[in-house]
Amino acid sequence: MHYDEILARRGQSCTLEYLTAQPGLEPADAASLAEVSERVASAAFEQFSLLFRVPQPGAARQGTYAVAFADGVNWEMFLVPVRREGADVLYEACFNREAAIGVA
């Protein structure tokens, strides 16, 4: 999963399925990739964050989620509910990882 691939999906609809407890036993929540922060990169590391908006959430829980887009792209990531905006819940994923070769 590269930053540019993620950035290209900003604003797209997806589903979030909570995997931490019992995968496949709970319905996935409709969501969208609401924000992708600017990437901060050095020769060694890159940092960025994602915000997913869930308009009709089940229980707001942190944990590992399967993030699935309509075109079949699926990612697993650790999400944390960070705030409510009206009835919506926003979940954040933070990345601080070794940069791919050639990233400066």
Side-chain angles (χ1 to χ4, degrees), residues 3 38-48 97 99-100 102-104:
Y3 178 79
E38 185 174 334
R39 182 179 67 147
V40 177
S42 68
F45 288 92
E46 65 177 346
Q47 298 93 27
F48 59 92
R97 61 188 186 186
V103 173

Side-chain angles (χ1 to χ4, degrees), residues 12-16 29-33 52-55:
Q12 289 188 13
S13 296
C14 60
T15 59
L16 303 181
D29 288 321
S32 65
L33 178 53
F52 291 90
R53 179 179 297 277
V54 180

Side-chain angles (χ1 to χ4, degrees), residues 1-2 4-5 9 14 23-24 30 34 36 39-40 44 47 50 52 56 60-61 67 71 75 79 84 88 100:
M1 166 181 9
H2 296 284
D4 291 337
E5 293 174 280
R9 294 189 175 280
C14 60
V36 178
R39 182 179 67 147
V40 177
Q47 298 93 27
L50 312 176
F52 291 90
Q56 299 292 325
R61 311 176 269 213
V67 180
D71 64 1
W75 300 323
L79 300 177
R84 285 195 179 271
D88 299 353

Side-chain angles (χ1 to χ4, degrees), residues 33-97:
L33 178 53
E35 295 179 28
V36 178
S37 73
E38 185 174 334
R39 182 179 67 147
V40 177
S42 68
F45 288 92
E46 65 177 346
Q47 298 93 27
F48 59 92
S49 63
L50 312 176
L51 278 179
F52 291 90
R53 179 179 297 277
V54 180
Q56 299 292 325
R61 311 176 269 213
Q62 73 178 20
T64 303
Y65 284 79
V67 180
F69 291 89
D71 64 1
V73 170
N74 295 289
W75 300 323
E76 286 187 11
M77 60 184 70
F78 191 85
L79 300 177
V80 177
V82 291
R83 68 177 180 266
R84 285 195 179 271
E85 289 183 357
D88 299 353
V89 173
L90 281 98
Y91 287 82
E92 184 176 40
C94 295
F95 293 83
N96 183 20
R97 61 188 186 186

